[in-house]
């Protein structure tokens, strides 16, 4: 099971990760994975309860749960968001690639029913195309690529994204619209 | 692409996007003169921008929630924890995932709950938890889940319990399948189990629909004794470690659902068995009313609601009016914020619930009460007209029967109505009434319409009544030449009522809102296009319409606009949180948007924390609000009441038709 998450430990892990220690991400992943699953379950239940959920609020709540409410290091929250977006992207892309491999009969394995229900072939193809396009975008405009990662995979609002990247809201708005246009074109080119 | 090239491309793209649409191509032509490749690239990007629509706008976290859930299943299924083999995932709660597992030693199925390690990092705390969980289990009570083992294997902490083949009460409420008889049966069993635990000195602390299951044979089981204590301990410990005070919000986030905690829990005070009584009260209210008594847009708002507000009454229904009156008393007593005035034990509450249960069971033998015990509570709500903004819609077929209901409801819940009842009868038509009688008529009818909307009872002051009266008199004034008569206007509505009833009912919005909203918006005139969009039964800005799935060209299509309007209102109700329980505020938000309504309320809260949370408070304070509220919105809700008062009292206004709300038939609900 996962490591114990006291505030200081989370802080340390985030610190290590920020300074490029690859093992920090490994330790952070299960913690964040659990939070993401919790959020996913709330989405799954949402229909029934008729509640509107805001992803940004859920992610904030996840941070509070792991780190405590008014964590003094405000920077940590931003790092946490960044790691969350990255973990989410990894999970989904892994899943999509596995899905595609299975579809092509790569290892002769049957796709399990629940796995097939969870993600359609079209969605898997779309995610892989998006991931490739994001990689390419990062080669010539890394900030835009990060904006999209935070917004799309991390569920952050424009405001939160601006705070996480320490740029103005206006910049994020402009980055977002340009990145969306470029990605839309790139993704559709592949189809 | 190189960064330099992209920088140039983006510059042009941004400049073009800042330009009005018609001038964009000219701008591209000018800036890209002589560079065909640049022109092509930027043109394609502009097209992509315009075509991107909803692309990437919904986050992957939301779109692909299923992947995360299924991924977790795949990981654990078939694996082994101690001597348990995981068969499949059953669900997840605030305290971790629950799996169906096979106990290999005893060859039996168990439910295995895996605890997140950050709650169980402390051995001493785990030991206390085990003691409490085992103590509850040792009671060996039919309504308490049996705990087999609290254990640990390779750093994974788990609880193995008996496996219940059934559904949680949360699931049963979600399906609206519980009958009144079943509801009372479950509540009785719940109180039975709790009083056994209380007698042994054990308080549950987290009674909520997710923690109670009903087995297929009807036995109710309380789950998770001791867990809440564990959570509270770990949360407060975490806060001690970091020298912070744990907020109740944080605790609520940890527990999952904050709506069921008692005021003393919310304040962080010591709790005893009466905390469980409170939570049972919340649960009973939720099942009966179809909505939670305390809610808010955020956890903090919910806590304010728990600490300060009295829940809106559960509306009386004619067939079960006696049962409901008693249940209302039971709920009110269980939800007394002062613990001293609450039921002092689960057993006390059980005695009262059991009495109603007997009456309902006896009543169900007589045809008059037949509906009571066997009809699903949700259906009974519709059948009998117990309405609530978040509950089901108004039942109009039984309007005649309903007279009894409304009378009963008024006597029970509207003190002012008692005084009205003893006054002399009013003349039959509005025209024959003098000014004072008209005000009285409007006051009575406002209460009637408000009850159909599920409003909390409030007595309007003269100024508010006069605002409605002014609009009524505008309607009944002799029409201008060539203008339609009142009779003509109201005769346009009936063809649309089945559609409106269906769509508003589907979103659980009182149908009366759907019927009279078009009266203020367009008086049911045929739709026509204008520069702002279209003016039809329901109106939106084109951008809003598009957001709700209606294209600009379809804004006159009532088959598209009616569901969109219901959807829009449901969204505003969600945004308004606790205030969504006042339909007058929701109506106002149709005119002004939820944020503006919330802002206005926030402003009032600063000057008077005890204000009534409804439109009329805003109306009374309109001088403090902005210009657009004073001039336009202040009369939007009075206009709604005016339209509804006329439409529900056709005879008094010389209209040749039954009340509009009576034109919703059974099959259309």
């Amino acid at each position: 099971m996962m490591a114990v998450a006291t505030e200081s430990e989370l802080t340390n892990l985030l610190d290590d990760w920020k300074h490029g220690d690859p093992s920090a991400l490994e330790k952070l992943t299960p913690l964040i994975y659990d939070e993401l699953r919790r959020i996913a379950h709330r989405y799954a239940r949402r229909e029934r309860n008729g509640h509107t959920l805001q992803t940004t609020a859920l992610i904030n709540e996840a941070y509070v749960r792991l780190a405590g409410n008014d964590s003094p290091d405000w920077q940590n929250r931003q790092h946490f968001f960044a790691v969350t977006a990255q973990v989410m992207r990894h999970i989904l892309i892994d899943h999509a690639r596995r899905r595609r491999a299975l579809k092509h009969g790569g290892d002769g394995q049957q796709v399990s029913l629940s796995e097939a229900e969870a993600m359609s072939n079209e969605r898997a193809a779309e995610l892989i195309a998006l991931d490739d396009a994001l990689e390419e975008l990062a080669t010539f405009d890394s900030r835009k690529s990060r904006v999209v990662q935070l917004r799309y995979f991390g569920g952050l609002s424009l405001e939160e994204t601006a705070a996480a990247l320490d740029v103005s809201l206006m910049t994020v708005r402009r980055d977002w619209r340009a990145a969306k246009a470029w990605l839309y074109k790139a993704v559709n080119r592949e189809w | 692409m190189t960064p330099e090239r992209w920088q140039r491309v983006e510059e042009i793209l941004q400049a073009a996007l800042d330009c009005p649409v018609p001038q964009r191509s000219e701008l591209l032509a000018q800036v890209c003169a002589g560079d065909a490749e640049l022109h092509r690239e930027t043109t394609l990007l502009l097209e992509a921008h315009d075509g991107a629509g909803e692309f990437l706008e919904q986050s992957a976290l939301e779109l692909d929630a299923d992947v995360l859930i299924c991924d977790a299943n795949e990981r654990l299924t078939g694996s082994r924890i101690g001597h348990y083999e995981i068969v499949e995932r059953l669900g997840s709660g605030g305290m971790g995932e629950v799996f169906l597992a096979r106990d290999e030693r005893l060859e039996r199925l168990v439910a295995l709950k895996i605890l997140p390690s950050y709650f169980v990092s402390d051995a001493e705390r785990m030991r206390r938890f085990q003691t409490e969980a085992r103590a509850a289990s040792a009671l060996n009570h039919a309504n308490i889940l049996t705990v087999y083992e609290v254990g640990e294997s390779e750093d994974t902490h788990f609880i193995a319990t008996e496996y219940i083949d059934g559904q949680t009460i949360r699931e049963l409420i979600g399906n609206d399948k519980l009958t009144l008889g079943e509801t009372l049966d479950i509540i009785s069993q719940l109180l039975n189990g709790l009083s056994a635990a209380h007698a042994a000195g054990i308080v549950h602390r987290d009674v909520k629909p997710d923690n109670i299951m009903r087995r297929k044979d009807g036995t109710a089981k309380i789950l998770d004794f001791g867990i809440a204590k564990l959570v509270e301990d770990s949360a407060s410990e975490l806060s001690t470690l970091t020298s912070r005070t744990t907020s109740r919000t944080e605790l609520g986030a940890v527990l999952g659902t904050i709506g069921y905690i008692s005021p003393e829990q919310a304040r962080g005070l010591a709790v005893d068995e009466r905390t469980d009584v409170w939570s049972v009260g919340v649960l009973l209210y939720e099942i009966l009313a179809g909505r939670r008594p305390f809610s808010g847009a955020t956890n903090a708002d919910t806590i304010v609601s728990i600490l300060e507000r009295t829940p809106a009454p559960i509306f009386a229904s004619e067939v079960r009016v006696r049962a409901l009156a008693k249940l209302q008393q039971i709920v009110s007593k269980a939800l007394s914020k002062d613990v001293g005035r609450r039921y002092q034990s689960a057993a006390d509450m059980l005695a009262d619930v059991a009495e109603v249960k007997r009456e309902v069971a006896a009543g169900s033998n007589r045809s008059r009460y037949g509906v009571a015990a066997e009809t699903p509570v949700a259906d009974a709500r519709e059948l009998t007209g117990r309405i609530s903004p978040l509950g089901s819609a108004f039942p109009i077929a039984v309007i005649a029967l309903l007279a009894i209901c409304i009378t009963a409801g008024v006597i029970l819940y509207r003190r002012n109505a008692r005084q009205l009842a003893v006054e002399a009868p009013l003349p039959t038509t509005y025209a024959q009434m003098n000014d004072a009688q008209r005000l009285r008529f409007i006051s009575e009818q406002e209460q009637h319409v408000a009850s159909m909307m599920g409003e909390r009872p409030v007595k309007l002051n003269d100024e508010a009544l006069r605002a409605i009266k002014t609009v009524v008199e505008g309607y009944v004034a002799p029409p201008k030449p060539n203008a339609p008569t009142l009779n003509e206007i109201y005769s346009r509505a009936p063809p649309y009522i089945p559609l409106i009833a269906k769509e508003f009912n589907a979103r659980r919005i009182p149908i009366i809102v759907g019927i009279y909203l078009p009266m203020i918006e367009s008086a049911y005139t045929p739709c026509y296009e204008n520069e702002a969009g279209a003016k039809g039964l329901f109106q939106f800005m084109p951008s809003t319409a598009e957001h709700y799935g209606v294209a600009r060209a379809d804004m006159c299509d009532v088959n598209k606009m009616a569901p969109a309007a219901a959807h829009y209102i449901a969204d505003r109700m969600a945004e308004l949180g606790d205030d969504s329980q006042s339909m007058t505020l929701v109506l106002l938000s149709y005119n002004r948007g939820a944020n503006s309504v919330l802002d206005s309320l926030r402003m009032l809260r600063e000057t008077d924390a005890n204000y009534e949370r409804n439109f009329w408070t805003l109306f009374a304070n309109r001088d403090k609000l902005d210009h657009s509220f004073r001039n336009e919105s202040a009369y939007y809700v009075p206009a709604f009441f005016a339209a509804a008062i006329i439409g529900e009292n056709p005879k008094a206004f010389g209209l040749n038709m039954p009340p509009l709300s009576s034109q919703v038939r059974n099959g259309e609900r």
Side-chain angles (χ1 to χ4, degrees), chain B residues 146-434:
Chain B
T146 306
V147 176
Y148 295 139
E149 182 183 5
V150 181
E152 181 190 350
S153 166
E154 294 168 29
D155 284 344
T156 301
H157 291 263
F158 60 83
I159 308 171
T161 66
E162 70 176 301
Y163 165 61
I164 309 291
D165 188 9
Q167 288 179 292
T168 65
I169 303 308
R170 159 79 54 229
E171 289 164 329
L172 292 169
I173 297 177
N175 295 334
D176 268 349
K177 284 283 164 52
L178 287 175
T179 66
L180 181 60
E182 285 173 320
T183 303
L184 296 175
D185 186 43
I186 289 168
I187 297 289
S188 302
Q189 294 190 55
L190 169 61
L191 289 166
N192 237 316
L194 286 173
S195 54
H198 294 165
I202 303 163
V203 181
H204 190 290
R205 294 156 182 268
D206 191 22
V207 173
K208 59 185 180 189
D210 319 73
N211 277 344
I212 305 150
M213 289 193 78
R214 191 178 61 165
R215 213 161 59 185
K216 283 184 174 156
D217 68 0
T219 310
K221 295 268 186 183
I222 310 167
L223 322 183
D224 286 353
F225 267 96
I227 292 252
K229 183 88 175 76
L230 179 69
V231 174
E232 282 173 20
D233 285 356
S234 55
S236 65
E237 183 163 313
L238 200 71
S239 70
T240 320
L241 275 177
T242 55
S243 0
R244 285 178 295 106
T245 45
T246 308
S247 76
R248 294 292 113 186
T249 312
E250 194 175 324
L251 170 62
V254 173
L255 287 173
T257 318
I258 204 156
Y260 302 87
I261 68 170
S262 66
E264 58 272 21
Q265 267 178 311
R267 291 204 167 92
L269 304 174
V271 302
D272 59 23
E273 60 201 87
R274 291 171 294 184
T275 271
D276 287 346
V277 166
W278 168 281
S279 305
V280 177
V282 175
L283 176 63
L284 180 55
Y285 181 103
E286 182 177 0
I287 302 177
L288 294 173
R291 65 187 137 89
R292 293 195 191 159
F294 310 104
S295 59
T298 64
N299 281 342
D301 290 339
T302 303
I303 289 175
V304 170
S305 173
I306 290 168
L307 293 177
E308 292 178 0
R309 304 230 160 80
T310 306
I314 301 168
F315 271 80
S317 62
E318 90 286 16
V319 264
R320 297 180 297 139
V321 72
R322 283 193 319 146
L324 257 168
K326 284 202 174 137
L327 285 171
Q328 175 81 53
Q329 284 167 9
I330 291 174
V331 167
S332 303
K333 191 164 178 188
L335 294 183
S336 169
K337 299 197 195 297
D338 173 0
V339 286
R341 298 175 62 184
R342 218 175 282 161
Y343 285 106
Q344 294 301 295
S345 71
D348 285 355
M349 184 171 175
L350 176 61
D352 281 2
V353 171
E355 195 187 321
V356 181
K357 196 176 149 206
R358 272 194 304 277
E359 278 178 28
V360 168
S364 70
N365 296 327
R366 299 196 301 270
S367 60
R368 179 166 144 71
Y369 289 86
V371 130
E374 282 102 39
T375 310
V377 172
D379 293 356
R381 268 204 293 277
E382 288 171 19
L383 243 171
T384 60
R386 183 161 52 76
I387 45 151
S388 64
L390 297 177
S392 49
F394 200 62
I396 306 246
V398 282
I399 197 99
L401 277 177
L402 221 91
I404 311 165
C405 151
I406 287 157
T407 315
V410 165
I411 291 167
L412 281 169
Y413 302 119
R414 291 168 190 271
R415 273 184 219 125
N416 2 347
R418 274 192 200 149
Q419 298 151 9
L420 295 171
V422 295
E423 289 178 55
L426 290 166
T428 349
T429 70
Y430 190 79
Q432 295 162 342
M433 296 176 201
N434 63 30

Side-chain angles (χ1 to χ4, degrees), chain A residues 36-134:
Chain A
L36 287 172
R37 260 194 303 156
R38 193 192 299 272
I39 291 171
H41 281 297
R42 288 180 59 180
Y43 274 119
R45 284 197 300 256
R46 172 187 51 173
E47 293 284 318
R48 238 181 7 231
N49 295 345
H51 288 159
T52 325
L53 297 177
Q54 281 188 322
T55 310
T56 301
L58 294 178
I59 298 270
N60 267 295
E61 204 179 292
Y63 179 75
V64 167
R65 203 189 334 268
L66 286 181
N69 207 355
D70 16 50
S71 176
D73 188 356
W74 183 80
Q75 278 267 303
N76 266 344
R77 188 182 286 263
Q78 310 311 330
H79 293 314
F80 175 79
F81 292 155
V83 186
T84 303
Q86 190 172 334
V87 169
M88 183 66 191
R89 183 171 165 191
H90 282 168
I91 294 170
L92 285 183
I93 302 304
D94 274 2
H95 195 97
R97 291 195 194 282
R98 198 164 66 236
R99 184 101 178 76
R100 192 169 63 172
L102 292 174
K103 182 190 151 204
H104 295 317
D107 50 8
Q109 208 184 327
Q110 281 272 297
V111 182
S112 76
L113 190 63
S114 58
E115 198 161 337
E117 278 167 3
M119 190 187 279
S120 68
N121 286 325
E122 294 72 33
R123 179 68 182 145
E126 187 183 51
L127 277 170
I128 292 167
L130 179 65
D131 186 55
D132 291 345
L134 268 177

